[in-house]
Amino acid sequence: MSNSRIFTFGCSFTEWYWPTWADMICYNNDGYNFGQKGGGITQILHKVANANRKYNFTELDKIIIMLPSLFRLDTTSTDNGETVWVCEGSQFANPEVPKDWMLMQSLNDIIFLKEYLEANELCYWFTAIHDIFDTTFVEYQNLNQQQLDHLQYVSEIINFEYPTMMETLVSIEGQWGSREPLYMHSGSPELHPTILEHYNYANKIEKVNIQKEDILIAHHKMLQLKNVNKMNDWCKENFNIFSTQGYQI
């Protein structure tokens, strides 16, 4: 993409212990990956605004946002004088965090995010880890009518320009459990997409400047390792295509 840059935002499906689809499309494409493990939509909203302030987005830039699930809580902390995001993944089962509040904040953050991008006349594309507007998911079974109406409203104003990650991976529509996990972590199946799955997904979005042979070498190495930290160390030493990160943004 001549004279343009790529900026990606999301959760652990965008930034993980091994390179993701976002790292792969950013690699040698003047790209920046601002995904964060465990992140919700609040951190995405703020990171998009702060990244725009720092990098001055133009109409030539490509902004790709992979939306996470709606029941997440993002907070901030200070590390060596820098403000950083603290993201701990789904809080749906946490009795100390009101589910109604998480849901409504996430939905409103999506609205604010869309309006911010359009007000600044920026080129953006939405995708998601799964269809976050699908009311058959167990998290949505006890929603009241007001919540269901708001979920429906947001679903009608947001278009997924790219297929969701779940759509590309599972063998039974809407059932994450129908996918066979290939990597292991401390004796348990590692459910995040593999390097090869990320590569196949990335190619649906953008030209990837990485040879598939290199992807396969890294993929087979991940099959042998049993700890995500060791996987991360190996990738950094032997397959370092991680893009510029921006947790503090």
Side-chain angles (χ1 to χ4, degrees):
M1 296 178 60
S2 177
N3 300 317
S4 65
R5 299 168 296 177
I6 299 173
F7 297 88
T8 60
F9 302 84
C11 62
S12 58
F13 278 57
T14 303
E15 186 272 330
W16 194 235
Y17 291 94
W18 48 83
T20 68
W21 66 272
D23 293 310
M24 294 175 190
I25 67 171
C26 286
Y27 183 72
N28 282 347
N29 262 338
D30 195 8
Y32 302 83
N33 179 11
F34 295 106
Q36 184 165 346
K37 302 180 188 72
I41 297 163
T42 299
Q43 58 92 24
I44 294 176
L45 171 64
H46 287 268
K47 284 185 178 181
V48 167
N50 290 334
N52 186 20
R53 175 179 54 82
K54 181 174 181 178
Y55 293 96
N56 297 312
F57 294 160
T58 75
E59 68 277 4
L60 296 176
D61 293 328
K62 190 170 188 177
I63 302 164
I64 305 173
I65 299 163
M66 178 171 279
L67 295 172
S69 57
L70 300 178
F71 293 94
R72 297 195 177 191
L73 174 65
D74 301 321
T75 59
T76 59
S77 183
T78 302
D79 183 16
N80 294 323
E82 296 284 345
T83 298
V84 296
W85 284 97
V86 179
C87 304
E88 300 180 358
S90 174
Q91 298 298 303
F92 181 77
N94 186 347
E96 297 182 2
V97 183
K99 295 181 180 61
D100 294 359
W101 178 79
M102 279 190 291
L103 175 72
M104 298 304 279
Q105 173 166 294
S106 293
L107 290 173
N108 287 333
D109 281 345
I110 294 173
I111 296 172
F112 298 149
L113 179 59
K114 178 179 186 291
E115 291 179 347
Y116 175 85
L117 291 163
E118 293 180 349
N120 285 278
E121 300 181 342
L122 299 172
C123 296
Y124 70 91
W125 289 261
F126 278 119
T127 182
I129 60 176
H130 59 69
D131 183 356
I132 60 174
F133 304 120
D134 183 352
T135 56
T136 64
F137 279 96
V138 64
E139 290 91 342
Y140 300 155
Q141 296 312 298
N142 295 317
L143 298 186
N144 61 39
Q145 192 59 50
Q146 180 185 17
Q147 294 165 336
L148 287 170
D149 289 344
H150 200 40
L151 184 71
Q152 177 67 25
Y153 167 75
V154 178
S155 73
E156 292 174 354
I157 66 171
I158 298 297
N159 294 317
F160 291 157
E161 300 293 340
Y162 297 118
T164 67
M165 185 67 84
M166 179 181 283
E167 286 177 309
T168 66
L169 296 184
V170 300
S171 57
I172 301 176
E173 183 178 357
Q175 295 188 26
W176 190 247
S178 67
R179 169 182 169 267
E180 180 182 359
L182 297 178
Y183 296 171
M184 298 294 292
H185 174 49
S186 300
S188 299
E190 168 54 60
L191 297 177
H192 285 83
T194 67
I195 285 179
L196 183 57
E197 288 170 332
H198 276 295
Y199 178 77
N200 291 334
Y201 183 79
N203 276 294
K204 298 178 183 294
I205 296 175
E206 189 71 31
K207 173 179 169 54
V208 176
N209 295 312
I210 308 166
Q211 295 296 319
K212 188 168 185 178
E213 291 77 7
D214 294 331
I215 293 289
L216 289 172
I217 290 172
H219 171 62
H220 287 298
K221 185 63 179 181
M222 297 302 101
L223 291 172
Q224 299 170 26
L225 298 174
K226 307 299 181 184
N227 180 279
V228 291
N229 292 308
K230 291 182 179 179
M231 295 175 183
N232 183 251
D233 291 341
W234 187 91
C235 287
K236 286 182 175 178
E237 292 174 7
N238 302 280
F239 189 60
N240 190 8
I241 65 167
F242 292 106
S243 60
T244 301
Q245 302 292 317
Y247 286 7
Q248 77 282 4
I249 287 293

mmCIF file of all heavy atoms in Angstrom, residues 19 23 27 210 218 232-243:
data_model
loop_
_atom_site.group_PDB
_atom_site.id
_atom_site.type_symbol
_atom_site.label_atom_id
_atom_site.label_comp_id
_atom_site.label_asym_id
_atom_site.label_seq_id
_atom_site.Cartn_x
_atom_site.Cartn_y
_atom_site.Cartn_z
ATOM 1 N N PRO A 19 3.129 -14.377 16.723
ATOM 2 C CA PRO A 19 2.595 -13.390 15.783
ATOM 3 C C PRO A 19 1.164 -13.701 15.356
ATOM 4 O O PRO A 19 0.805 -14.859 15.114
ATOM 5 C CB PRO A 19 3.566 -13.470 14.604
ATOM 6 C CG PRO A 19 4.847 -13.950 15.210
ATOM 7 C CD PRO A 19 4.438 -14.918 16.280
ATOM 8 N N ASP A 23 0.054 -8.697 13.267
ATOM 9 C CA ASP A 23 1.501 -8.602 13.084
ATOM 10 C C ASP A 23 1.874 -8.913 11.643
ATOM 11 O O ASP A 23 2.753 -8.265 11.057
ATOM 12 C CB ASP A 23 2.217 -9.591 14.011
ATOM 13 C CG ASP A 23 2.070 -9.235 15.475
ATOM 14 O OD1 ASP A 23 2.322 -8.069 15.828
ATOM 15 O OD2 ASP A 23 1.697 -10.120 16.267
ATOM 16 N N TYR A 27 3.687 -6.362 9.037
ATOM 17 C CA TYR A 27 5.085 -6.647 8.758
ATOM 18 C C TYR A 27 5.489 -6.168 7.363
ATOM 19 O O TYR A 27 4.892 -6.566 6.357
ATOM 20 C CB TYR A 27 5.333 -8.154 8.892
ATOM 21 C CG TYR A 27 6.771 -8.564 8.702
ATOM 22 C CD1 TYR A 27 7.727 -8.280 9.673
ATOM 23 C CD2 TYR A 27 7.162 -9.243 7.556
ATOM 24 C CE1 TYR A 27 9.043 -8.663 9.509
ATOM 25 C CE2 TYR A 27 8.479 -9.635 7.384
ATOM 26 C CZ TYR A 27 9.416 -9.336 8.358
ATOM 27 O OH TYR A 27 10.728 -9.712 8.192
ATOM 28 N N ILE A 210 5.356 -12.363 4.003
ATOM 29 C CA ILE A 210 6.036 -13.454 4.704
ATOM 30 C C ILE A 210 5.845 -14.720 3.878
ATOM 31 O O ILE A 210 4.739 -14.985 3.379
ATOM 32 C CB ILE A 210 5.451 -13.677 6.112
ATOM 33 C CG1 ILE A 210 5.413 -12.365 6.918
ATOM 34 C CG2 ILE A 210 6.245 -14.722 6.883
ATOM 35 C CD1 ILE A 210 4.565 -12.439 8.162
ATOM 36 N N ALA A 218 7.565 -22.100 11.809
ATOM 37 C CA ALA A 218 7.188 -21.585 13.127
ATOM 38 C C ALA A 218 6.008 -22.370 13.701
ATOM 39 O O ALA A 218 5.985 -22.685 14.901
ATOM 40 C CB ALA A 218 6.849 -20.104 13.027
ATOM 41 N N ASN A 232 6.722 -17.726 22.973
ATOM 42 C CA ASN A 232 7.004 -16.313 22.751
ATOM 43 C C ASN A 232 8.502 -16.071 22.612
ATOM 44 O O ASN A 232 8.939 -15.342 21.714
ATOM 45 C CB ASN A 232 6.439 -15.499 23.915
ATOM 46 C CG ASN A 232 6.628 -14.009 23.732
ATOM 47 O OD1 ASN A 232 7.430 -13.384 24.419
ATOM 48 N ND2 ASN A 232 5.897 -13.425 22.815
ATOM 49 N N ASP A 233 9.296 -16.692 23.480
ATOM 50 C CA ASP A 233 10.749 -16.537 23.410
ATOM 51 C C ASP A 233 11.289 -17.043 22.076
ATOM 52 O O ASP A 233 12.152 -16.401 21.456
ATOM 53 C CB ASP A 233 11.424 -17.287 24.565
ATOM 54 C CG ASP A 233 11.161 -16.640 25.920
ATOM 55 O OD1 ASP A 233 10.779 -15.458 25.943
ATOM 56 O OD2 ASP A 233 11.320 -17.331 26.937
ATOM 57 N N TRP A 234 10.797 -18.203 21.638
ATOM 58 C CA TRP A 234 11.286 -18.768 20.382
ATOM 59 C C TRP A 234 10.933 -17.854 19.207
ATOM 60 O O TRP A 234 11.764 -17.604 18.331
ATOM 61 C CB TRP A 234 10.683 -20.158 20.142
ATOM 62 C CG TRP A 234 11.293 -20.846 18.949
ATOM 63 C CD1 TRP A 234 12.380 -21.675 18.951
ATOM 64 C CD2 TRP A 234 10.870 -20.730 17.579
ATOM 65 N NE1 TRP A 234 12.659 -22.082 17.662
ATOM 66 C CE2 TRP A 234 11.746 -21.519 16.803
ATOM 67 C CE3 TRP A 234 9.844 -20.043 16.950
ATOM 68 C CZ2 TRP A 234 11.617 -21.637 15.421
ATOM 69 C CZ3 TRP A 234 9.710 -20.148 15.570
ATOM 70 C CH2 TRP A 234 10.591 -20.939 14.815
ATOM 71 N N CYS A 235 9.707 -17.335 19.203
ATOM 72 C CA CYS A 235 9.289 -16.463 18.105
ATOM 73 C C CYS A 235 10.122 -15.188 18.064
ATOM 74 O O CYS A 235 10.501 -14.712 16.987
ATOM 75 C CB CYS A 235 7.806 -16.123 18.236
ATOM 76 S SG CYS A 235 6.696 -17.499 17.832
ATOM 77 N N LYS A 236 10.430 -14.627 19.222
ATOM 78 C CA LYS A 236 11.221 -13.402 19.256
ATOM 79 C C LYS A 236 12.649 -13.642 18.773
ATOM 80 O O LYS A 236 13.264 -12.781 18.150
ATOM 81 C CB LYS A 236 11.244 -12.825 20.672
ATOM 82 C CG LYS A 236 9.928 -12.172 21.076
ATOM 83 C CD LYS A 236 10.018 -11.565 22.467
ATOM 84 C CE LYS A 236 8.748 -10.809 22.810
ATOM 85 N NZ LYS A 236 8.787 -10.233 24.177
ATOM 86 N N GLU A 237 13.181 -14.832 19.049
ATOM 87 C CA GLU A 237 14.560 -15.140 18.670
ATOM 88 C C GLU A 237 14.662 -15.631 17.230
ATOM 89 O O GLU A 237 15.662 -15.361 16.544
ATOM 90 C CB GLU A 237 15.125 -16.210 19.611
ATOM 91 C CG GLU A 237 15.315 -15.725 21.043
ATOM 92 C CD GLU A 237 15.736 -16.842 21.978
ATOM 93 O OE1 GLU A 237 16.009 -17.968 21.476
ATOM 94 O OE2 GLU A 237 15.785 -16.610 23.199
ATOM 95 N N ASN A 238 13.660 -16.369 16.753
ATOM 96 C CA ASN A 238 13.785 -17.037 15.467
ATOM 97 C C ASN A 238 12.766 -16.614 14.412
ATOM 98 O O ASN A 238 12.953 -16.908 13.230
ATOM 99 C CB ASN A 238 13.640 -18.557 15.674
ATOM 100 C CG ASN A 238 14.673 -19.104 16.629
ATOM 101 O OD1 ASN A 238 15.814 -19.340 16.253
ATOM 102 N ND2 ASN A 238 14.275 -19.305 17.885
ATOM 103 N N PHE A 239 11.709 -15.939 14.835
ATOM 104 C CA PHE A 239 10.632 -15.595 13.907
ATOM 105 C C PHE A 239 10.054 -14.248 14.317
ATOM 106 O O PHE A 239 8.860 -14.083 14.499
ATOM 107 C CB PHE A 239 9.553 -16.685 13.938
ATOM 108 C CG PHE A 239 8.500 -16.550 12.873
ATOM 109 C CD1 PHE A 239 8.842 -16.585 11.533
ATOM 110 C CD2 PHE A 239 7.170 -16.412 13.205
ATOM 111 C CE1 PHE A 239 7.873 -16.463 10.549
ATOM 112 C CE2 PHE A 239 6.187 -16.296 12.228
ATOM 113 C CZ PHE A 239 6.541 -16.320 10.891
ATOM 114 N N ASN A 240 10.919 -13.264 14.482
ATOM 115 C CA ASN A 240 10.513 -11.995 15.068
ATOM 116 C C ASN A 240 9.859 -11.082 14.029
ATOM 117 O O ASN A 240 10.511 -10.230 13.434
ATOM 118 C CB ASN A 240 11.704 -11.289 15.716
ATOM 119 C CG ASN A 240 11.261 -10.099 16.549
ATOM 120 O OD1 ASN A 240 10.074 -9.898 16.763
ATOM 121 N ND2 ASN A 240 12.210 -9.333 17.013
ATOM 122 N N ILE A 241 8.556 -11.272 13.834
ATOM 123 C CA ILE A 241 7.800 -10.395 12.945
ATOM 124 C C ILE A 241 6.800 -9.575 13.746
ATOM 125 O O ILE A 241 5.893 -8.962 13.184
ATOM 126 C CB ILE A 241 7.079 -11.177 11.835
ATOM 127 C CG1 ILE A 241 6.001 -12.086 12.419
ATOM 128 C CG2 ILE A 241 8.058 -11.967 10.998
ATOM 129 C CD1 ILE A 241 5.051 -12.645 11.388
ATOM 130 N N PHE A 242 6.949 -9.592 15.095
ATOM 131 C CA PHE A 242 6.049 -8.783 15.908
ATOM 132 C C PHE A 242 6.165 -7.328 15.471
ATOM 133 O O PHE A 242 7.263 -6.796 15.308
ATOM 134 C CB PHE A 242 6.408 -8.897 17.392
ATOM 135 C CG PHE A 242 6.148 -10.258 17.978
ATOM 136 C CD1 PHE A 242 7.187 -11.112 18.271
ATOM 137 C CD2 PHE A 242 4.850 -10.671 18.232
ATOM 138 C CE1 PHE A 242 6.955 -12.371 18.812
ATOM 139 C CE2 PHE A 242 4.602 -11.917 18.780
ATOM 140 C CZ PHE A 242 5.651 -12.778 19.063
ATOM 141 N N SER A 243 5.034 -6.674 15.287
ATOM 142 C CA SER A 243 5.054 -5.290 14.842
ATOM 143 C C SER A 243 5.195 -4.348 16.029
ATOM 144 O O SER A 243 5.157 -4.771 17.183
ATOM 145 C CB SER A 243 3.767 -4.967 14.067
ATOM 146 O OG SER A 243 2.641 -5.169 14.890
#
